[in-house]
Amino acid sequence: MSLLRIEGLSLAIHDYAILHDVSLTVAPGQIVGVIGESGSGKSMTALTVMQLLPEGAQATGRVMLDGQDVLQLSEADLCGMRGRVMGMVFQEPMTALNPIQTIGDQVAETILVHDRVSRAEARERARQALARVELPEDRFPLTRYPHELSGGQRQRVVIAMAIALRPRLLIADEPTTALDVTTQAQILKLLKRLVQEDGMGLLMISHDLAVVADMADQLVIMRHGRVVESGPSPDLFHRMQHPYSKALLAASTHQPDRAAQPQEVPLLEVRGVIRDYVTARKGIWGKSGTFRAVDDVSFRIRRGESLGLVGESGCGKSTLTRAILGLEEVQAGEILLDSQPVFTGHKPNRAVRRRMQVVFQDPYGSFNPRHRVERLITEPFHLLNAPPQGAARDAAIAEALESVGLTADDRHKYIHEFSGGQRQRIAIARALIIKPDLIILDEAVSALDVSIRAQILDLLADLGDRLGLTYLFISHDLSVVRQVTDRVLVMQAGRIVEQGETAEIFDAPAHPYTKQLLSATPRLPDITDA
């Protein structure tokens, strides 16, 4: 018997068709993975089940949940079902949580809305829900606020809110996208355990086949608002028929062609770098302590090389990046680019700084939405002693945009007019415009769909070959690092615990932490015998 049965669901918003004849089922205790890229309709399918649709939305077909067609229910009836019969875990926990409420109050609020219980009983049940998601009160008091937790811990709070009333159906919309591999593995394991304990159905939405390959009982692949293929997992991988399904699988394992070979001469040298932060005093008369974020780190990047830096959140990757870019002074050691120090005294060396650029994880968040593209990508000009003006400036803008596959006319647009992949191309154009030697890619493809990710990786490989660029590729996605780097560094608790040729590190890791990272990395089923 099905817990959720969607039959012939179509959805339009102000006469614009979003979903077309979508059908799928979820049984009690079953995990169904819905896979597709941005715009495929997977999230809108989930929001239709929850009936959390924008004004002007019109849905036809049937969405039977626990014996009732949710499309026919009143808002009052739906409010009674949300949380009790169906719960939802959203992608970004920080936006799903109230920053000025404690985690205990937020979980308790879910219970108070639906059950007539005392506040004390609601807090006790909230305590139990948080303990079920592995946030016990002795380590994570109910009085903590969201900003006091890590990304993975915040996602556990969101899950606790969704399962506090033990709903029969749980919808998880990209619940692990921004998490590092070990935290992602823990969250997936947690969701699977909750399904087994409560016998609830789980509708797991993701753009990454590998994330749900080992987890889902059934897979549903969507494109342009339609279900193009579905079936049991992993059987579906062995009998994929639709070209889009095959393209997704190919993009998940895509390896760019790279012709250029690294030179033996070093471009960047990091020698014994230490970065400490002052911690808060304990009590009025207590002394401030120190926290060592980067602990005696040394490595080299050869000219023309692509070097990977991997590690969990909090391992020191971003702190080290800021030091390399001259944004934070170090307490010991030195950082040299072409034998020139990044810092001269206590100030960054502008002559060195202009030879390095960075591409961030979130291309939309790293741009000012009020400015046009031509202004956004010329921001690095402030590092030049004599920035180009007039025709020379226009030519530089056109060259940068065209080098990343956009047109010179795109300079007149605003950033919201572009897709996620196009925004990342603009971020790369901004990094290229002053012709740097080293580009630092800080989680530059982690939020992209697999096919867009493959295109960006191809673009970076092509630019590296044509322009002789050197890359420092920072990522928590080890599968991507394996595909695009020559060597890799593994960082844990501020130290480099292992380094070497990428293939050697991945095929024969020596350090226990490297083995832990690799074992947590999602993998696609082996279909070589299919």
Side-chain angles (χ1 to χ4, degrees):
M1 178 180 175
S2 297
L3 169 64
L4 171 68
R5 179 178 293 277
I6 300 176
E7 299 175 341
L9 173 64
S10 296
L11 176 71
I13 300 177
H14 296 299
D15 298 325
Y16 183 82
I18 305 294
L19 301 177
H20 309 271
D21 196 28
V22 173
S23 297
L24 62 87
T25 62
V26 182
Q30 185 182 47
I31 301 174
V32 176
V34 181
I35 312 298
E37 299 177 287
S38 299
S40 64
K42 57 189 187 299
S43 293
M44 290 307 298
T45 301
L47 293 174
T48 302
V49 175
M50 297 291 294
Q51 282 296 281
L52 297 174
L53 295 171
E55 187 176 349
Q58 296 179 329
T60 59
R62 301 178 70 196
V63 180
M64 302 299 297
L65 175 61
D66 204 24
Q68 299 185 78
D69 188 350
V70 300
L71 300 184
Q72 306 301 321
L73 296 178
S74 66
E75 181 60 26
D77 291 334
L78 289 167
C79 287
M81 293 182 69
R82 296 185 193 116
R84 183 180 296 281
V85 179
M86 52 184 173
M88 190 162 183
V89 178
F90 295 94
Q91 177 175 351
E92 176 47 61
M94 199 58 182
T95 58
L97 296 172
N98 188 330
I100 62 172
Q101 276 193 320
T102 65
I103 61 173
D105 286 343
Q106 293 189 62
V107 179
E109 182 181 24
T110 302
I111 299 165
L112 289 168
V113 165
H114 291 277
D115 288 350
R116 293 185 176 181
V117 298
S118 66
R119 187 166 295 275
E121 183 178 343
R123 285 185 65 82
E124 176 58 31
R125 290 170 62 179
R127 184 179 293 108
Q128 295 171 7
L130 287 166
R132 289 193 69 205
V133 299
E134 298 164 16
L135 294 177
E137 188 181 18
D138 59 338
R139 292 173 50 210
F140 303 94
L142 273 63
T143 53
R144 283 197 178 179
Y145 289 89
H147 72 271
E148 298 179 278
L149 303 176
S150 68
Q153 291 163 356
R154 287 194 287 263
Q155 194 63 287
R156 290 176 187 271
V157 175
V158 174
I159 294 171
M161 293 170 64
I163 58 97
L165 295 168
R166 297 183 181 254
R168 301 200 62 199
L169 174 70
L170 182 64
I171 301 173
D173 189 359
E174 302 276 12
T176 63
T177 297
L179 303 178
D180 57 56
V181 287
T182 52
T183 306
Q184 174 179 262
Q186 293 166 7
I187 294 297
L188 295 177
K189 182 179 179 181
L190 168 64
L191 290 171
K192 197 167 186 176
R193 175 174 63 79
L194 292 172
V195 167
Q196 294 170 346
E197 289 178 354
D198 292 355
M200 64 181 175
L202 173 61
L203 192 65
M204 178 82 175
I205 296 171
S206 178
H207 67 264
D208 194 336
L209 276 168
V211 168
V212 296
D214 291 335
M215 186 176 178
D217 304 303
Q218 294 277 130
L219 289 178
V220 177
I221 299 177
M222 295 188 67
R223 185 191 188 200
H224 296 162
R226 300 180 186 274
V227 174
V228 299
E229 198 158 10
S230 62
S233 176
D235 294 347
L236 182 64
F237 288 96
H238 294 271
R239 60 171 185 82
M240 280 185 175
Q241 300 295 321
H242 198 278
Y244 178 69
S245 303
K246 295 178 180 179
L248 274 184
L249 183 60
S252 299
T253 57
H254 177 72
Q255 186 161 2
D257 293 326
R258 299 170 58 225
Q261 293 296 319
Q263 303 174 21
E264 288 306 315
V265 57
L267 174 66
L268 179 75
E269 294 181 87
V270 176
R271 301 174 179 171
V273 166
I274 292 175
R275 179 67 172 103
D276 292 333
Y277 291 99
V278 177
T279 59
R281 293 185 301 177
K282 294 182 178 180
I284 298 176
W285 309 110
K287 293 183 178 180
S288 299
T290 59
F291 171 74
R292 181 151 293 180
V294 177
D295 188 3
D296 194 23
V297 167
S298 299
F299 63 89
R300 306 192 324 170
I301 306 180
R302 296 171 293 175
R303 186 177 291 276
E305 183 178 34
S306 179
L307 179 70
L309 177 61
V310 302
E312 297 174 288
S313 298
C315 72
K317 302 189 304 291
S318 296
T319 301
L320 179 59
T321 301
R322 290 193 295 271
I324 292 172
L325 289 168
L327 301 177
E328 287 192 12
E329 191 176 2
V330 298
Q331 279 73 41
E334 59 180 351
I335 303 171
L336 306 173
L337 186 76
D338 246 358
S339 301
Q340 298 297 312
V342 171
F343 287 93
T344 53
H346 297 285
K347 293 183 179 180
N349 186 338
R350 282 173 57 87
V352 171
R353 177 66 182 84
R354 68 174 63 106
R355 298 175 59 191
M356 298 184 288
Q357 285 295 297
V358 62
V359 178
F360 297 101
Q361 176 177 355
D362 180 6
Y364 191 75
S366 62
F367 288 123
N368 188 329
R370 297 173 179 269
H371 297 158
R372 297 182 191 272
V373 166
E374 62 179 344
R375 177 170 175 178
L376 295 175
I377 69 170
T378 56
E379 288 174 348
F381 281 168
H382 81 277
L383 293 169
L384 303 179
N385 293 328
Q389 302 292 332
R393 181 178 183 274
D394 293 342
I397 293 171
E399 180 184 0
L401 289 173
E402 290 169 358
S403 68
V404 298
L406 299 173
T407 68
D409 289 339
D410 287 328
R411 61 183 292 177
H412 303 297
K413 297 179 181 178
Y414 292 94
I415 200 68
H416 72 268
E417 299 180 72
F418 297 90
S419 68
Q422 289 172 326
R423 290 171 190 160
Q424 201 59 294
R425 288 175 184 268
I426 294 170
I428 296 170
R430 176 173 62 180
L432 289 174
I433 200 164
I434 58 173
K435 296 180 169 46
D437 296 308
L438 173 67
I439 294 182
I440 299 175
L441 300 152
D442 190 359
E443 302 283 6
V445 298
S446 62
L448 301 178
D449 294 327
V450 288
S451 64
I452 303 300
R453 181 179 71 190
Q455 294 171 17
I456 296 299
L457 294 179
D458 280 339
L459 171 63
L460 292 170
D462 177 63
L463 291 170
D465 290 343
R466 286 193 288 114
L467 304 178
L469 296 172
T470 303
Y471 295 123
L472 175 57
F473 204 104
I474 300 169
S475 179
H476 65 255
D477 190 337
L478 273 71
S479 61
V480 172
V481 170
R482 183 168 195 169
Q483 294 160 11
V484 300
T485 61
D486 302 299
R487 289 189 305 123
V488 65
L489 311 175
V490 181
M491 196 168 188
Q492 181 190 29
R495 286 181 168 269
I496 303 298
V497 297
E498 189 166 4
Q499 60 180 300
E501 299 294 323
T502 300
E504 294 178 3
I505 294 293
F506 277 78
D507 293 339
H511 196 276
Y513 179 67
T514 309
K515 295 177 182 179
Q516 178 186 340
L517 288 180
L518 291 172
S519 65
T521 302
R523 288 182 176 84
L524 290 167
D526 186 1
I527 57 173
T528 54
D529 299 329

